[in-house]
């Protein structure tokens, strides 16, 4: 089944999609805030109506939600690109991705949405990979595809591109850092077109967005979130190691391809193996590891709301939260333990502080305080 472009808004269901899009594109509304507002108000229209009041309660005056023309423009761009929208609560949403704490509420996709329901393995690695590394990526991707796994990667040059190309015949998913209609790097335009025709390309970002550095870690959490396991071939300082860390946080299996100890392009994989990652010689090693992996299932459903409290109590909790946060991100569950408060109470105040701009959500369920 091929993904179809969205039609002009003409039904209550499509009106709800438009309101949902306005909600996720509104300032300071991230995945966690989006889910909480939807759970509290039932519909996107209700959440949009309540959002200025929520912002005002957090001390933000003059807050405005995403304007309707902005959302309409994105919908029109999606139709022009042949992109379809997929929401977190829809049946076709990737099941493993939906379990992570910061699962994107919306995915734009081009290609075959049926691939998102199949078991996936992520292959990620160095952009300047050695010829041996590229050959290994091709061999692994082809063998995993033949074994029935969809190969997911980030459409970068090097290992990513080789893995996608080798898995085209069996199934591959490319997660993009920018808009699904923006090909980066440009040299992969031909490959991207083939993936849209024979595989699937997805992104959570607005249509037309040119990726910047901050978008790549967000993409990486989706790459690992989709997969049962992540296989890494990378240097010591690379985005692939960020993907590996995300995978560990998400309860995924992390595997690494070893390399020569004198080759800096293999230092990241060698480091992961020293830290306990499974060493990969061939696809059978990956399949064996997946057979024993048990990805952690974390429900995206929010905790029940506590009763309203006096403003002085809210202010005191805000101060305690901010005192424990700095520019270095910390896990939200660790923050909750440190505060010794109910998880639902902390989650509620984090939403208010996020809207106020005094904290920010980071990939992997982390929270930090902007410098």
């Amino acid at each position: 089944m091929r993904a179809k472009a969205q039609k002009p808004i003409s039904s209550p269901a499509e009106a709800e999609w438009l309101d949902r899009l306005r909600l996720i594109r509104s300032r300071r509304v991230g995945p966690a805030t989006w889910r909480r507002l939807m759970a509290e108000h039932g519909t996107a229209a209700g959440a949009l109506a309540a959002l200025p009041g929520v912002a005002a309660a957090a001390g933000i005056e003059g807050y405005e939600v995403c304007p309707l023309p902005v959302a309409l423009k994105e919908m029109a761009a999606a139709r022009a690109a042949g992109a379809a929208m997929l929401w977190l609560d829809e049946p076709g949403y990737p099941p493993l991705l939906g379990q992570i704490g910061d699962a994107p509420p919306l995915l734009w996709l081009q290609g075959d949405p049926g691939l998102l329901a199949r078991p996936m393995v992520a292959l990620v690695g160095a952009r300047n990979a050695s010829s041996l590394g590229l050959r290994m990526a091709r061999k692994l991707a082809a063998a995993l595809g033949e074994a029935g796994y969809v190969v997911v990667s980030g459409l970068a040059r090097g290992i990513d591109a080789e893995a996608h190309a080798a898995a085209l015949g069996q199934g591959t998913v490319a997660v993009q850092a920018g808009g699904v209609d923006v090909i980066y790097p440009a040299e992969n335009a031909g490959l991207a077109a083939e993936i849209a025709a024979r595989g699937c390309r997805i992104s959570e970002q607005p249509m037309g967005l040119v990726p910047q550095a901050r978008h790549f870690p967000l993409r990486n959490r989706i790459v690992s979130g989709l997969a049962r396991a992540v296989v890494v071939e990378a240097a010591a300082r690379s985005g692939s190691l960020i993907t590996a860390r995300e995978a560990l946080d998400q309860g995924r299996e992390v595997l690494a391809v070893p390399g020569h100890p004198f080759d800096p392009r293999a230092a990241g994989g060698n480091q992961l193996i020293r830290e306990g990652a499974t060493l990969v010689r061939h696809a059978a090693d990956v399949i064996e590891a997946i057979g024993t992996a048990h990805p952690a299932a974390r429900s995206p459903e929010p905790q029940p709301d506590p009763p309203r409290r006096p403003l002085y109590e809210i202010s005191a909790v805000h101060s305690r939260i901010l005192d424990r946060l700095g520019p270095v991100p910390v896990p939200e569950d660790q923050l909750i333990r440190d505060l010794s408060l109910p998880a639902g109470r902390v989650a509620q105040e984090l939403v208010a502080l996020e809207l106020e701009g005094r904290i920010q959500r980071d990939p992997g369920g982390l929270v930090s305080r902007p410098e």
Side-chain angles (χ1 to χ4, degrees):
M1 181 177 66
R2 209 53 30 185
K4 296 180 180 179
Q6 299 297 320
K7 298 177 181 179
I9 303 301
S10 59
S11 70
E14 290 175 302
E16 171 69 8
W17 293 342
L18 183 63
D19 286 339
R20 288 182 173 205
L21 183 59
R22 292 179 66 198
L23 184 61
I24 192 58
R25 300 299 185 232
S26 291
R27 185 166 53 100
R28 295 177 179 167
V29 176
T33 303
W34 187 94
R35 287 198 306 273
R36 185 172 185 83
L37 289 169
M38 287 292 294
E40 287 176 349
H41 301 285
T43 65
L48 282 172
L51 188 52
V54 174
I60 306 171
E61 299 298 331
Y63 182 91
E64 295 182 359
V65 301
C66 172
L68 178 61
V70 172
L72 287 171
K73 182 178 179 181
E74 183 170 351
M75 294 284 274
R79 289 195 297 273
M85 57 171 36
L86 181 60
W87 291 100
L88 178 62
D89 56 358
E90 291 186 307
Y93 194 91
L96 284 183
L97 182 63
Q99 293 174 1
I100 71 172
D102 51 357
L106 168 65
L107 293 173
W108 285 114
L109 67 90
Q110 291 179 321
D112 183 1
L115 292 175
L116 300 178
R118 289 174 49 190
M120 298 186 215
V121 173
L123 296 183
V124 296
R127 289 171 171 79
N128 63 335
S130 65
S131 59
L132 183 60
L134 295 174
R135 187 171 70 183
M136 183 65 168
R138 289 193 295 269
K139 184 177 179 180
L140 280 174
L144 287 167
E146 290 171 1
Y149 293 95
V150 172
V151 172
V152 57
S153 198
L155 198 59
R157 61 175 62 95
I159 297 295
D160 290 25
E162 293 296 323
H164 285 308
L168 268 173
Q170 292 77 33
T172 188
V173 172
V175 185
Q176 298 176 223
V180 76
D181 57 337
V182 177
I183 307 306
Y184 181 89
E187 67 197 59
N188 284 345
L191 175 61
E194 286 194 81
I195 295 172
R198 303 168 61 188
C200 186
R201 299 200 333 245
I202 64 173
S203 174
E204 68 174 328
Q205 299 297 344
M207 303 295 297
L209 178 79
V210 177
Q212 300 178 22
R214 69 178 183 275
H215 297 125
F216 290 94
L218 296 174
R219 176 205 62 184
N220 293 345
R221 91 187 191 285
I222 299 177
V223 170
S224 57
L226 287 166
R228 297 187 178 188
V230 176
V231 182
V232 178
E233 297 184 57
R237 293 181 177 86
S238 72
S240 300
L241 291 191
I242 296 176
T243 308
R245 305 303 179 199
E246 289 284 354
L248 290 171
D249 288 343
Q250 294 164 352
R252 308 302 193 248
E253 190 78 4
V254 174
L255 308 93
V257 176
H260 195 284
F262 291 163
D263 187 349
R265 293 171 295 189
N270 292 342
Q271 175 186 332
L272 287 173
I273 292 169
R274 285 193 63 192
E275 294 173 356
T278 300
L279 185 149
V280 175
R281 301 160 297 172
H282 38 62
D285 291 332
V286 182
I287 296 168
E288 180 183 0
I290 291 174
T292 60
H294 299 282
R298 291 185 288 173
S299 170
E301 295 299 323
Q303 297 290 329
D305 290 336
R308 293 185 179 274
R309 298 173 183 268
L311 288 177
Y312 72 86
E313 284 191 20
I314 296 174
S315 178
V317 173
H318 286 188
S319 296
R320 291 181 62 192
I321 292 172
L322 294 173
D323 285 345
R324 284 165 174 78
L325 293 178
V328 178
V330 300
E332 184 174 331
D333 55 357
Q334 178 184 321
L335 177 65
I336 292 170
R337 288 194 300 269
D338 291 345
L339 291 169
S340 298
L341 290 172
R345 176 77 192 283
V346 177
Q348 182 183 32
E349 304 310 338
L350 287 176
V351 170
L353 289 169
E354 182 182 13
L355 286 169
E356 194 175 346
R358 300 173 73 185
I359 68 165
Q360 64 184 26
R361 307 267 186 171
D362 298 289
L366 303 178
V367 186
S368 63
R369 188 173 180 178
E371 295 186 86

